[in-house]
């Protein structure tokens, strides 16, 4: 868009350096058209905020004010963070070419997003879910998968990528490959072991002869993540839970329930495969919610008359 067209449309005309920056992203960094469109939109919005000010002359105070305006317009914190990232990259590009003396976006952060606690099932809800069964081979497989999710706190990708030789029923443990290709070994509960034994006895009814995956789908090959998600949602409805249950909810439930019983945050961290204890600490909030409910129900001065 040239300056005349931009003026006619009411949009600020793009500075030549913006298009040069985007051209470099396209050719040297092979940015996707979607990324380029997002960067172009974010940089044009910066121009709109700056009005008659040249972009290289902007100060951190200007950037903070623009970020506050974005927040005031209702843009979500994560979206504001994305916009600031685009602006920050553009100014780094300007600084490398001597077109700006400083990067005014450095040190400017988006507002913190509200911290949503992961949803976990109660112990009773989990028992109601896992008490279900069926005679069909798919039901036997599903019960083994869901018991394993809850027993060992696995991620969905860890369960579907699990090989048969990763399972050790004798010692009651399973070895999985998690994020960043890190392996860990976690214990198996008795219920999970029993369900897995039944599945292994009938696995050949579904699995192709040369398939190494522990869990397989209808075609005999490794089961897909989407199939597990759909099967669990349907299983939960069949058990009358009246809510959508997804695989990660069983992982959250495992962490919350173990922490409630043991209080051992480090052990839960190791079993979940979290690199940082801060990631695991979110379950202390879930644990506090549980304790708060117990307190409200049991403490003489907390009970409502």
């Amino acid at each position: 868009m040239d300056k005349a067209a931009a003026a006619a449309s009411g949009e600020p005309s793009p500075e030549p350096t913006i298009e040069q920056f985007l051209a470099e992203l396209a050719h040297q960094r092979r940015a996707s058209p979607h990324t380029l469109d997002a960067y172009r939109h974010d940089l044009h919005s910066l121009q709109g905020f700056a009005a008659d000010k040249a972009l290289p002359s902007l100060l951190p105070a200007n950037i903070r004010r623009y970020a506050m305006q974005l927040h005031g317009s209702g843009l979500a914190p994560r979206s504001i963070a994305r916009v600031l990232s685009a602006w920050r990259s553009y100014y780094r590009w300007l600084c490398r070419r001597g077109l700006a003396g400083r990067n005014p976006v450095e040190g400017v952060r988006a507002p913190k997003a509200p911290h949503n606690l992961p949803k976990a099932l109660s112990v009773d809800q989990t028992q109601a879910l896992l008490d279900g069964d069926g005679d069909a081979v798919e039901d036997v497989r599903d019960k083994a998968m869901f018991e394993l999710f809850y027993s060992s706190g696995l991620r969905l990708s860890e369960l579907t990528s699990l090989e048969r030789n990763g399972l050790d029923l004798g010692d009651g443990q399973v070895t999985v490959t998690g994020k960043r290709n890190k392996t860990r070994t976690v214990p198996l509960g008795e219920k999970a072991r029993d369900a897995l034994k039944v599945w292994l006895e009938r696995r050949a009814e579904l699995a192709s002869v040369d398939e190494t995956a522990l869990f397989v789908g209808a075609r005999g090959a490794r089961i897909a993540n989407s199939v597990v998600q759909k099967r669990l949602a349907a299983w939960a409805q069949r058990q009358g839970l009246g809510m959508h249950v997804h695989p990660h909810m069983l992982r959250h439930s495992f962490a919350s329930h173990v922490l409630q019983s043991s209080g051992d945050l480090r052990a839960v961290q190791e079993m979940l495969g979290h690199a940082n204890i801060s990631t695991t600490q979110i379950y202390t909030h879930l644990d506090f919610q549980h304790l708060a409910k117990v307190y409200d129900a049991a403490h003489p001065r907390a009970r409502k008359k």
Side-chain angles (χ1 to χ4, degrees):
M1 181 185 294
D2 59 26
K3 291 186 178 182
S9 68
E11 296 181 2
S13 58
E15 293 191 5
T17 52
I18 289 180
E19 290 307 320
Q20 292 167 12
F21 167 67
L22 295 174
E24 181 174 307
L25 283 181
H27 296 109
Q28 294 186 17
R29 304 184 193 179
R30 300 187 182 279
S32 69
H34 176 77
T35 298
L36 293 173
D37 287 342
Y39 269 72
R40 182 176 286 107
H41 176 272
D42 294 339
L43 292 171
H44 285 182
S45 72
L46 177 61
Q47 274 192 288
F49 284 127
D52 57 349
K53 296 186 182 73
L55 296 187
S57 70
L58 296 182
L59 302 172
N62 299 125
I63 300 298
R64 289 191 182 91
R65 184 165 65 253
Y66 302 156
M68 289 174 62
Q69 288 178 260
L70 289 172
H71 188 50
S73 69
L75 197 64
R78 288 182 181 176
S79 298
I80 297 173
R82 189 212 70 227
V83 172
L84 289 173
S85 177
W87 294 356
R88 195 175 294 114
S89 296
Y90 176 61
Y91 276 103
R92 285 173 183 163
W93 183 85
L94 289 178
C95 291
R96 285 198 301 269
R97 282 152 184 77
L99 300 174
R102 63 176 298 180
N103 187 336
V105 193
E106 292 294 351
V108 179
R109 298 288 179 263
K112 287 187 177 181
H115 199 60
N116 296 321
L117 292 177
K119 292 183 179 179
L121 300 173
S122 68
V123 173
D124 288 342
Q125 287 174 324
T126 307
Q127 289 180 345
L129 176 75
L130 298 178
D131 279 346
D133 56 20
D135 294 328
V137 64
E138 292 87 356
D139 291 332
V140 171
R141 176 204 60 200
D142 292 350
K143 185 174 180 65
M145 289 194 304
F146 306 152
E147 286 282 6
L148 180 54
F149 267 132
Y150 178 63
S151 172
S152 303
L154 303 191
R155 300 179 177 94
L156 174 58
S157 60
E158 292 170 347
L159 180 132
T160 56
S161 65
L162 187 59
E163 302 287 333
R164 278 193 66 182
N165 60 13
L167 192 64
D168 186 342
L169 293 180
D171 288 340
Q173 59 188 28
V174 60
T175 300
V176 298
T177 302
K179 291 184 176 180
R180 295 175 291 278
N181 289 321
K182 291 184 177 180
T183 61
R184 72 182 189 281
T185 300
V186 290
L188 286 170
E190 184 178 353
K191 295 285 189 181
R193 277 205 268 182
D194 291 343
L196 285 163
K197 285 177 183 176
V198 177
W199 161 240
L200 288 175
E201 290 170 359
R202 299 189 59 181
R203 178 180 173 278
E205 296 177 34
L206 277 183
S208 300
V209 175
D210 58 349
E211 180 56 62
T212 61
L214 176 61
F215 296 110
V216 297
R219 296 182 180 179
R222 186 181 304 277
I223 197 166
N225 289 0
S226 58
V227 173
V228 179
Q229 292 168 330
K230 290 176 183 177
R231 297 287 297 188
L232 177 56
W235 184 286
Q237 290 302 311
R238 194 170 73 192
Q239 290 303 110
L241 262 68
M243 60 189 297
H244 176 69
V245 178
H246 53 80
H248 223 59
M249 193 179 289
L250 288 178
R251 176 172 161 88
H252 294 322
S253 302
F254 158 83
S256 178
H257 299 166
V258 171
L259 190 59
Q260 287 172 13
S261 300
S262 68
D264 193 335
L265 193 63
R266 288 289 181 186
V268 174
Q269 176 194 5
E270 185 174 341
M271 286 188 284
L272 290 175
H274 286 160
N276 298 311
I277 193 77
S278 59
T279 309
T280 318
Q281 282 175 331
I282 189 171
Y283 295 104
T284 63
H285 298 292
L286 292 175
D287 189 37
F288 178 79
Q289 290 180 342
H290 167 77
L291 293 175
K293 289 179 181 178
V294 172
Y295 176 86
D296 288 342
H299 197 282
R301 300 295 256 174
R303 290 198 297 263
K304 292 182 179 179
K305 293 182 179 180

